[in-house]
Amino acid sequence: MALVDAVANSIDVPLWRLFGGVSDSLSTAATIPTTSSAKAFDLAAKYYKLGFKTLEIKLGRNLNADIEVLQAVRAAHPHCLFILDANEGYTSKEAIEVLHKLNEKGVIPTVFEQPVHRDDWRGLGDVSNVARHKYGVSVAADESCRDLTDIKKLMEENIVDVINIKLSKFGVLGILEIVEMVKKSGLELMIDSVAETRLATGVAGHLAAGLGCFR
Ligand SMILES: [Mg+2]
């Protein structure tokens, strides 16, 4: 990352342009961590005021508590889009039940990320099928994407609609390779960061804006 940044600086080109120049700006979601519904309400109200239109909510511990959190977020930010990140917290049966209950309550997510354990490929595919066809929800793989072999499998077997890739996991060259690999597959890409430095998050932002292929 430092070398790419040094090259960009030496030729006086901003990083986003070096990565492809598609855009110099990005829309991003703000994250609501696993928390109480009261705290989630306050955070959602704060992000609403700041202009965030999409919120990523960490769930997957307790179905009823999770639904309360979502309803609190919806009350504080009536029109926001949801990305639900279960961080492998459910079985496939529970994840499908979650979708069913959320649909009943009118808090259906846009993206349901990593609903089941990283190695439960079959469960991931089962949740995806129901999410896609019954609720119009995209399922994303995060922890299930450990390397290019995983991504190839997810792509070829049509297991999910979206993959979440991280700069800290794949590096700049790895991400460029993945982007090339999934180009014609219809698989969509999202990018996020895990407790990285501001510098690394900045590079990820430039990369995503410059490449322009992250939703
Ligand atoms: Mg995640």
Side-chain angles (χ1 to χ4, degrees):
M1 265 185 248
L3 286 173
V4 176
D5 189 40
V7 168
N9 272 311
S10 73
I11 54 174
D12 206 20
V13 163
L15 262 186
W16 63 270
R17 207 182 283 272
L18 194 73
F19 284 129
V22 172
S23 176
D24 64 353
S25 66
L26 275 179
S27 293
T28 182
T31 298
I32 296 189
T34 311
T35 185
S36 65
S37 53
K39 190 90 212 303
F41 181 93
D42 291 345
L43 281 170
K46 178 181 131 187
Y47 291 135
Y48 174 71
K49 278 196 200 126
L50 288 170
F52 283 95
K53 299 204 164 51
T54 305
L55 298 176
E56 170 157 341
I57 299 151
K58 302 287 184 187
L59 300 175
R61 291 200 307 189
N62 172 301
L63 177 53
N64 292 328
D66 288 350
I67 288 174
E68 268 177 34
V69 163
L70 274 167
Q71 287 182 302
V73 171
R74 175 55 88 219
H77 194 333
H79 304 295
C80 71
L81 298 176
F82 294 120
I83 298 171
L84 300 190
D85 188 357
N87 280 327
E88 314 177 85
Y90 299 122
T91 62
S92 57
K93 202 170 152 227
E94 284 167 345
I96 290 167
E97 195 191 337
V98 168
L99 284 172
H100 180 65
K101 290 220 166 130
L102 294 180
N103 187 54
E104 273 179 355
K105 306 270 181 194
V107 282
I108 201 79
T110 304
V111 177
F112 193 14
E113 185 175 319
Q114 198 65 48
V116 299
H117 189 271
R118 63 191 72 184
D119 293 322
D120 185 6
W121 299 98
R122 192 174 172 170
L124 195 56
D126 290 346
V127 179
S128 250
N129 270 334
V130 176
R132 266 178 201 150
H133 300 122
K134 204 163 172 193
Y135 302 110
V137 174
S138 298
V139 169
D142 180 2
E143 285 83 355
S144 292
C145 301
R146 280 154 296 197
D147 52 32
L148 295 184
T149 313
D150 286 340
I151 294 174
K152 225 172 245 165
K153 184 179 167 76
L154 290 163
M155 192 171 69
E156 286 170 3
E157 297 177 25
N158 194 23
I159 297 174
V160 291
D161 296 306
V162 184
I163 53 171
N164 184 350
I165 52 179
K166 297 178 169 81
L167 197 53
S168 57
K169 199 163 17 169
F170 295 102
V172 172
L173 294 179
I175 288 194
L176 295 178
E177 202 174 331
I178 293 165
V179 165
E180 199 52 42
M181 199 167 94
V182 304
K183 228 178 210 168
K184 294 192 190 89
S185 70
L187 194 63
E188 293 203 82
L189 295 170
M190 58 192 279
I191 190 165
D192 75 359
S193 58
V194 265
E196 287 160 29
T197 61
R198 286 180 61 205
L199 275 177
T201 305
V203 174
H206 276 264
L207 183 129
L211 286 170
C213 56
F214 293 88
R215 184 150 72 112

